[in-house]
Amino acid sequence: AMRQLWTQTLKPKAVRIQEKFNQHLMAVYFPGFTLRFDFREVEVLQENRESQLGQAKILRDLGYTTN
């Protein structure tokens, strides 16, 4: 339930707020800089990150590039 809350509600809203900050504040007052929220400390999102890293390693071992 918490994972769904984060992936379907909280994180998308935070990304929309981040985009607005970048469009309206950062572009005007700090051109060349962008604001990004850091979700690395959100425990319920870490499972997904671990899974993605595992998949990336498998694909790399199969010969796929990171590009």
Side-chain angles (χ1 to χ4, degrees):
M2 287 299 291
R3 183 172 174 73
Q4 271 187 317
L5 174 68
W6 272 98
T7 58
Q8 295 178 3
T9 305
L10 299 175
K11 190 173 178 182
K13 283 187 181 197
V15 170
R16 283 194 297 276
I17 291 168
Q18 169 185 294
E19 290 170 353
K20 295 297 180 187
F21 267 105
N22 286 327
Q23 290 171 357
H24 299 288
L25 269 173
M26 301 303 284
V28 173
Y29 296 105
F30 304 100
F33 292 93
T34 57
L35 174 114
R36 294 188 68 197
F37 290 113
D38 184 2
F39 298 102
R40 291 179 292 185
E41 297 294 321
V42 180
E43 277 188 43
V44 294
L45 297 177
Q46 295 311 307
E47 298 171 38
N48 189 27
R49 184 163 171 80
E50 294 298 322
S51 173
Q52 288 176 344
L53 287 173
Q55 290 174 1
K57 288 177 184 176
I58 291 170
L59 291 173
R60 184 194 63 207
D61 293 343
L62 289 173
Y64 288 92
T65 63
T66 56
N67 296 348

